[in-house]
């Protein structure tokens, strides 16, 4: 099934939404959707569905289902970000209002441009961003296909962006140097332990970034060396968290958001994965498994 066909079915309320919470189920039913509780969905069926997960116990069970399921599934793992009903409604509204055909076309063009880069990619904007990205011969990239295969579960973020990741080691795909001005952040935690250990600092950082006017990071050898918010270096805020457990403050992703529809209408006070997909560039640290994943997102820096 093509992603566009999936999206048409979703917007026309022709596919079910899998939920793990009665309040969320009521919300989607009020929107005219068939909402099915997680325990009642047949993952062995070759069906198509959208899943919204707000609880870590169901998050873990969904990951386990992905190994044996026959369903085609796109999911919003809200629990990794903000699982409040308000944040879920914000994310879903932004997804329904996007121009997915334009997004997929731009996503493919960005991947084509990345493939044409021989070694170094330079990015600039009017705010003072000067970013050099050194690319490896072999790149780890996010999903590049427009087809949804049976038995595969797809994060909503992979549809909205083109991304290069460092998983094998700190510079396996790319290395960044320079200065990067950004507009906002999002963060993700893949389990309750990471979120509990770091929640207070993450909340502080999200609010501080949202209220600051000038914000940029300094990068040397693919590592954050400065986090400046309105003239004050907040790098110690990052050092308070668990980044010593994995990858330190090295960058694990550079991504290019492809959603032009959300531009100028982003609420940076909401920790939503949809904000990551805004047309522009984002760079991320962490993997969310042992330390938080944080994306620094710019709407002014673009590869195309």
């Amino acid at each position: 099934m093509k992603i566009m066909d999936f999206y048409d079915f979703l917007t026309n309320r022709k596919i079910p939404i899998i939920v793990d919470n009665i309040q969320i189920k009521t919300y989607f039913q009020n929107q005219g959707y068939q909402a099915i509780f997680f325990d009642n969905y047949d993952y062995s069926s070759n069906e198509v569905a959208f899943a919204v997960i707000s609880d870590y116990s169901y998050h873990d069970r969904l990951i386990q289902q992905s190994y044996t399921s026959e369903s085609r599934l796109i999911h919003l793992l809200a629990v990794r970000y903000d699982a409040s009903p308000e944040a879920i409604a914000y994310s879903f509204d932004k997804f329904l209002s996007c121009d997915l055909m334009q997004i997929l076309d731009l996503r493919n063009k960005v991947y084509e441009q990345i493939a044409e880069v021989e070694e170094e990619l330079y990015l600039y904007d009017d705010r003072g961003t000067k970013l050099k990205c050194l690319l490896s011969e072999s790149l780890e990239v996010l999903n590049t296909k427009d087809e949804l295969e049976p038995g595969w579960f797809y994060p909503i973020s992979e549809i909205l962006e083109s991304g290069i990741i460092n998983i094998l080691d700190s510079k396996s795909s790319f290395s960044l140097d320079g200065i990067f001005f950004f507009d906002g952040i999002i963060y993700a935690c893949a389990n309750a332990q990471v979120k509990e250990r770091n929640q207070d600092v993450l909340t502080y950082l999200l609010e501080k970034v949202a209220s600051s006017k000038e914000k940029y990071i300094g990068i040397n050898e693919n590592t954050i060396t400065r986090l400046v918010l309105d003239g004050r270096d907040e790098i110690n805020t990052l050092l308070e968290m668990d980044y010593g457990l994995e990858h330190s403050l090295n960058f694990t992703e550079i991504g290019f958001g492809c959603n032009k529809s959300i531009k100028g209408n982003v609420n940076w006070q909401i920790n939503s994965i949809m904000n990551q997909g805004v047309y522009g560039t984002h760079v991320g640290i962490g993997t969310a498994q042992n330390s938080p994943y944080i994306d620094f997102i710019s709407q002014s820096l673009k590869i195309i």
Side-chain angles (χ1 to χ4, degrees):
M1 171 180 282
K2 297 291 186 182
I3 294 176
M4 276 305 308
D5 293 332
F6 171 94
Y7 191 67
D8 287 341
F9 287 151
L10 180 66
T11 54
N12 287 296
R13 297 167 173 79
K14 293 182 178 180
I15 60 174
I17 297 182
I18 302 168
V19 299
D20 60 359
N21 177 292
I22 187 62
Q23 187 175 6
I24 298 171
K25 182 178 182 181
T26 301
Y27 165 76
F28 283 111
Q29 287 176 332
N30 289 340
Q31 302 297 314
Y33 287 92
Q34 177 192 10
I36 301 176
F37 195 67
F38 186 100
D39 294 324
N40 297 329
Y41 183 76
D42 182 7
Y43 290 91
S44 65
S45 63
N46 188 2
E47 293 183 348
V48 182
F50 186 73
V52 179
I53 304 299
S54 66
D55 182 274
Y56 275 116
S57 64
Y58 284 101
H59 169 282
D60 296 343
R61 290 174 62 187
L62 185 75
I63 301 302
Q64 289 298 316
Q65 288 284 0
S66 68
Y67 300 129
T68 58
S69 174
E70 296 298 325
S71 297
R72 297 172 176 89
L73 203 71
I74 291 180
H75 57 69
L76 169 62
L77 299 181
V79 66
R80 290 190 174 192
Y81 303 89
D82 183 345
S84 69
E86 296 78 14
I88 290 173
Y90 171 89
S91 298
F92 193 66
D93 177 69
K94 296 303 182 189
F95 189 46
L96 288 188
S97 61
C98 70
D99 183 344
L100 193 61
M101 185 174 292
Q102 168 264 309
I103 289 171
L104 295 176
D105 180 61
L106 181 57
R107 188 185 73 161
N108 291 335
K109 288 179 179 178
V110 170
Y111 276 127
E112 289 173 0
Q113 182 160 339
I114 291 172
E116 293 174 357
V117 176
E118 293 185 0
E119 184 176 359
E120 295 179 348
L121 177 67
Y122 292 89
L123 298 169
Y124 305 90
D125 67 15
D126 293 337
R127 291 191 291 188
T129 295
K130 297 179 180 179
L131 193 65
K132 180 178 77 171
C133 180
L134 179 65
L135 298 179
S136 301
E137 291 185 5
S138 178
L139 301 180
E140 301 171 89
V141 298
L142 301 178
N143 178 43
T144 62
K145 299 179 180 179
D146 292 340
E147 190 85 20
L148 301 179
E149 301 292 342
W152 286 85
F153 291 5
Y154 298 87
I156 194 173
S157 57
E158 290 186 1
I159 297 173
L160 304 174
E161 65 168 301
S162 305
I164 309 171
I165 54 177
N166 287 329
I167 297 298
L168 296 179
D169 61 53
S170 61
K171 297 180 182 179
S172 54
S173 288
F174 70 89
S175 178
L176 302 176
D177 281 282
I179 186 170
F180 179 83
F181 282 79
F182 62 97
D183 298 297
I185 67 169
I186 65 166
Y187 61 83
C189 300
N191 57 70
Q193 293 74 28
V194 172
K195 182 169 282 191
E196 288 169 3
R197 289 197 305 265
N198 298 278
Q199 185 65 75
D200 290 345
V201 183
L202 290 168
T203 300
Y204 163 80
L205 188 60
L206 184 78
E207 294 174 352
K208 183 68 175 177
V209 167
S211 64
S212 298
K213 293 183 179 179
E214 184 186 57
K215 32 209 165 186
Y216 65 89
I217 51 179
I219 308 169
N220 182 51
E221 290 289 328
N222 207 47
T223 300
I224 293 182
T225 56
R226 303 180 71 198
L227 168 57
V228 180
L229 305 176
D230 286 341
R232 178 177 176 178
D233 193 348
E234 293 273 359
I235 191 69
N236 285 334
T237 304
L238 298 178
L239 295 174
E240 288 180 32
M241 292 184 275
D242 293 336
Y243 289 102
L245 299 178
E246 59 176 8
H247 294 282
S248 188
L249 295 183
N250 296 323
F251 285 95
T252 53
E253 180 186 4
I254 179 169
F256 305 97
C258 300
N259 187 5
K260 294 183 177 181
S261 301
I262 197 176
K263 186 178 180 182
N265 192 27
V266 179
N267 187 340
W268 295 114
Q269 295 180 340
I270 297 180
N271 184 35
S272 168
I273 187 61
M274 290 301 297
N275 293 349
Q276 180 200 55
V278 66
Y279 183 43
T281 301
H282 53 269
V283 293
I285 59 173
T287 65
Q289 299 297 327
N290 296 307
S291 62
Y293 176 81
I294 298 179
D295 255 329
F296 302 87
I297 307 163
S298 168
Q299 296 183 89
S300 61
L301 188 67
K302 304 174 181 69
I303 190 172
I304 294 179

